[in-house]
Amino acid sequence: MEKKYNPEVIEKKWQDYWEQEKLFKVEIDTTKEKYYLLEMFPYPSGRIHMGHVRNYCIGDVVARFKMMTGLNVLHPMGWDAFGMPAENAAIKNHSHPAIWTINNINEMRRQLKRMGLSYDWDREIATCHPDYYKWEQWLFIRMLENGLVYRKKSIVNYCKPCATVLANEQVEAGCCWRCGEPVVQREQDGWFFRITKYADELLDWCDRLTGWPERVLTMQRNWIGRSEGAKILFKQENSDQSIEVFTTRPDTLYGATFMSLAPEHPLCLSLSKGTSQETPVQEFVNHALTQDWQSRVGESVGKEGVFTGAYCINPLTSRRMPIYCANFVLYEYGTGAVMAVPAHDQRDFEFAKKYGLDIIIVVQPTDHVLSAETMTEAYVGPGNLINSGEFDGTDNESAKKAISKKLKSMNQGGPTTNYRLRDWGVSRQRYWGAPIPVIHCAKCGPVPVPDLELPVVLPIDIEFPESGRSPLPDLDWWVNTHCPKCGSDARRETDTMDTFVESSWYFDRYTCPRYDNGLLDPVQDRYWSPVDQYIGGIEHAILHLLYSRFFTKALRDLGIKKESEPFRNLLTQGMVIKDGAKMSKSKGNVVDPEDLINKYGADTVRLFCLFAAPPERDLEWTSEGVDGAQRFLNRIWNLVLEYKDLKSSDQILMESADSRTIRRVTHKTIKKVTEDISNRFRFNTAIAAIMEMSNELSKVSCEEIYAKNDLKAAMKDAIESLVLLMSPFVPHISEELWEALGNKGGLTRRLWPTYNSEMILEDSLTIVAQVNGKKRAEIRVPTSATEDEMKQSAIAEANVQKFIEGRVIRKIVVVSGKLVNIVVS
């Protein structure tokens, strides 16, 4: 063992050893309980950042700990490799998305291996590989056959100069991110997953996910957004068509004075077409749809709209209601159409005031009288109905049911349940994604690609245009084909799949990454699934996690899986903060993990990330914290160096108090660290306990240890336990120290140390001595002391004697293990 801790040398040594020994390669072992641990796989950006380091170190601690407790641990890694960022980077760097992505994967794999993470790299997957997305295409076809995939029209952002569809993230202040020209909206066909079929099940199962943070479950419940209310049909004037709305306030229907449509609603353009309002509506729609939905519904954004030129009819009042296109209505909510009741909805109130629309009060509170002329805000509280015909005087809660019932009897609506959740549009007019396996035939319509022709391989050996426009529609040799049904000339679908599709089932493919007889190997899937512990950022609380849950339920119903949920337990780790803000290039506060590894070593970086804060809390970056972590590892190195030659002796006649103290500290620490890792993921307090133990061991005289057999035995056990406890957190130095103590490497194959509850008990304890209820002294008594012995010890204490001398002891009260109170007069 070298006298000086040199992380550069020992970390390379043990990483090579783990790889040569295939230490983390795992297979089915029916004699062992399985444990599937997974961190959310990264997008291959080319460089790992501190968020990656923290996320993967958290998972690695759990994986190594579970291995040492005897579980059969699956801990894989892969790459979420498709997506728009690769296209953007390729344009910027005059490269090809495929080349850029593969190079980044190779670089990030190298960086992750330097962190000493316990991955089974033989299971590595990249979602851009045809062997992966072949089965995604196969699944798309099965879902299409079972009604879980369908095609419909939707509105997209479109840049005319670039001749390309843009994602919302590529629209900046209403303009194309690349050319700066205004973006317009256009309608086109797209493919959708019918996630709404599972809305009730997704919501109900939130109550069964007891291993998930309540914050995440609340976000999912709100996103699904089940609400009870009424469907109401408003007939369009001079038409046999109706506009359907959903409302949770059917009690206010008599107060509806206008209709608001979301800018995305097709009626905005169709109702105004051929009228004087056509141009103003088109301009308003184009502007509104370049705003993100958060800003459109935000309190600080003004309520804006434009009259479409059309009217609809209130089914109960026969009132002629103008139809507006309004920026604060979202197409994803309800039906994208809202009956506007300005007296009882604040947004409608502000809109009506701005555009001079009627305000009719229909719910009057019981403690004061409202007047439309003097109202300064909408009244949204309870009350009794007025101006509501046959329902006048009814309390508004009862009126909700009564009016819904009346609408049903009129065939103008009725009670219903609505969901905020909308079907998942998966078509992307981008290049770098998995091709959608459909062929379009003029005679047969959309036809699935036959299974034997899968995968539909994304062409790689092509020129990628710097405009960002997908080259796929222009590749005649790839697009032009024949219909699988009738043999006629046909064209391939040129849209690719949303990258969230790949990440919605990748965790299943890890169980059988090289299996080629189906989407999943049923034997492997049944043994490993579901994921026992999933770890990732809170930013994925809705889309990724909800889509993964949907996919699992769909796979179950297709007979491919048994489980109904993908992740048994979920941990959402906090962000890494520096200078009061999340680390980001734009803020100039990024710390490069590789620079830190080069300077301090991976174990120091790991220790800091795990010690600085609990996993679910944000971690505040400090260089002092990193220095402190390095100093601690040096102290441990020196401690082991001091005692590495200890040998146990059989000639121990009796253990001294000092040796019992060492064993007590050892067993207390084992208990604390075990509980903090297994029950609470409180890595910071576990590390603190290890630090405290090392401090206690450092206080003992080295000469005295080597001189006494009982102390040598106790210290040897303590040092070995200390190294084992450290190993999940700082595996490289732990392996080196374990070897220096005369043991064989491969700590994850060692059993985790166990504690003896009797060893934890103190030989003595401190109790309080009181006189007439006032504390007069603290005394040490043996833990085995009887009440009489505790009384005598308290009476004999010098400071207690001062207050009882010459006085009569009336009684002595003993609270075992805590205090003795002497009552005198």
Side-chain angles (χ1 to χ4, degrees), residues 665-734:
V665 168
T666 302
H667 285 261
K668 282 178 66 175
T669 306
I670 294 171
K671 181 177 187 292
K672 171 68 173 170
V673 174
T674 302
E675 292 176 349
D676 280 353
I677 296 178
S678 59
N679 299 338
R680 299 183 285 266
F681 289 175
R682 289 293 182 263
F683 306 136
N684 57 322
T685 55
I687 293 169
I690 292 171
M691 291 178 171
E692 186 176 340
M693 176 180 174
S694 71
N695 290 338
E696 290 297 318
L697 298 181
S698 298
K699 293 177 182 178
V700 185
S701 165
C702 182
E703 291 78 7
E704 189 176 354
I705 293 291
Y706 276 99
K708 298 180 180 179
N709 287 341
D710 64 327
L711 290 179
K712 279 196 291 187
M715 183 61 82
K716 180 177 173 59
D717 289 345
I719 295 293
E720 289 191 343
S721 296
L722 181 68
V723 172
L724 290 171
L725 294 176
M726 287 170 48
S727 64
F729 306 101
V730 284
H732 307 90
I733 189 174
S734 299

Side-chain angles (χ1 to χ4, degrees), residues 625-802:
V626 182
D627 291 335
Q630 186 184 47
R631 286 194 300 271
F632 171 70
L633 293 182
N634 277 304
R635 288 199 301 272
I636 293 292
W637 184 271
N638 293 332
L639 181 66
V640 175
L641 183 64
E642 198 168 26
Y643 292 112
K644 68 182 180 66
D645 297 322
L646 277 178
K647 298 290 187 295
S648 295
S649 172
D650 296 331
Q651 297 178 351
I652 302 175
L653 300 177
M654 182 175 168
E655 281 212 315
S656 64
D658 287 341
S659 68
R660 288 198 301 273
T661 298
I662 293 173
R663 293 195 184 280
R664 184 164 53 250
V665 168
T666 302
H667 285 261
K668 282 178 66 175
T669 306
I670 294 171
K671 181 177 187 292
K672 171 68 173 170
V673 174
T674 302
E675 292 176 349
D676 280 353
I677 296 178
S678 59
N679 299 338
R680 299 183 285 266
F681 289 175
R682 289 293 182 263
F683 306 136
N684 57 322
T685 55
I687 293 169
I690 292 171
M691 291 178 171
E692 186 176 340
M693 176 180 174
S694 71
N695 290 338
E696 290 297 318
L697 298 181
S698 298
K699 293 177 182 178
V700 185
S701 165
C702 182
E703 291 78 7
E704 189 176 354
I705 293 291
Y706 276 99
K708 298 180 180 179
N709 287 341
D710 64 327
L711 290 179
K712 279 196 291 187
M715 183 61 82
K716 180 177 173 59
D717 289 345
I719 295 293
E720 289 191 343
S721 296
L722 181 68
V723 172
L724 290 171
L725 294 176
M726 287 170 48
S727 64
F729 306 101
V730 284
H732 307 90
I733 189 174
S734 299
E735 290 275 21
E736 187 72 9
L737 297 177
W738 187 249
E739 185 181 66
L741 292 170
N743 302 299
K744 186 179 178 182
L747 280 172
T748 53
R749 292 174 178 164
R750 295 286 305 188
L751 283 178
W752 186 255
T754 56
Y755 64 89
N756 184 331
S757 299
E758 292 184 1
M759 290 280 194
I760 296 172
L761 298 175
E762 298 278 351
D763 290 337
S764 61
L765 69 157
T766 301
I767 63 172
V768 173
Q770 296 178 338
V771 177
N772 289 344
K774 291 185 178 181
K775 179 180 175 181
R776 298 304 181 189
E778 288 185 353
I779 57 175
R780 295 286 295 178
V781 297
T783 53
S784 58
T786 64
E787 284 197 8
D788 284 341
E789 289 171 337
M790 292 172 67
K791 290 176 183 179
Q792 294 305 316
S793 296
I795 291 171
E797 174 63 33
N799 201 50
V800 172
Q801 281 289 322
K802 294 179 184 177

Side-chain angles (χ1 to χ4, degrees), residues 114-132:
R114 286 198 70 189
M115 288 301 303
L117 303 167
S118 58
Y119 294 131
D120 181 353
W121 284 105
D122 287 352
R123 293 177 181 264
E124 180 183 9
I125 59 173
T127 60
C128 63
H129 198 286
D131 286 349
Y132 181 85

Side-chain angles (χ1 to χ4, degrees), residues 560-577:
I560 299 170
K561 286 186 70 67
K562 298 292 185 184
E563 294 80 27
S564 296
E565 290 288 341
F567 313 119
R568 191 168 280 149
N569 297 288
L570 173 69
L571 172 66
T572 53
Q573 90 279 1
M575 298 183 296
V576 180
I577 306 294

